[in-house]
Amino acid sequence: LAGAERSQPVEASPAIDSMRLTGEAAGLQALQREIGSAPASIDVEKVNQVRAALADGSYRIDAQQIADRLLAFENELLK
């Protein structure tokens, strides 16, 4: 009788995975969905202006503006 039990197939229990997103991850997912659904619009004139400024060396980077926008982005993620 014991040998008969071993010859029967063993059923595996289904694997149950779970995942919990942090608030930041959920915010990033929402932002990704929002960006993904937005129409892609490229300001060709602006792109050409930046290319020209890069080519002639007149393009300047405003570090304060970059920092301000990074902070605003971080604040949006925390909401």
Side-chain angles (χ1 to χ4, degrees):
L1 188 64
E5 290 176 13
R6 290 189 192 147
S7 65
Q8 298 297 321
V10 177
E11 291 185 30
S13 60
I16 299 175
D17 292 331
S18 67
M19 178 175 66
R20 190 174 65 97
L21 295 177
T22 62
E24 291 84 6
L28 283 172
Q29 279 189 334
L31 184 60
Q32 184 178 20
R33 282 191 299 274
E34 184 179 324
I35 290 172
S37 65
S41 61
I42 298 173
D43 186 346
V44 177
E45 180 61 33
K46 180 72 172 177
V47 171
N48 289 334
Q49 289 174 358
V50 171
R51 280 185 180 155
L54 286 169
D56 68 18
S58 64
Y59 186 79
R60 298 289 178 245
I61 296 173
D62 184 349
Q64 185 62 49
Q65 184 181 32
I66 292 170
D68 290 343
R69 288 186 179 178
L70 281 172
L71 287 173
F73 178 71
E74 286 291 324
N75 286 331
E76 281 298 313
L77 292 177
L78 294 174
K79 289 183 181 179

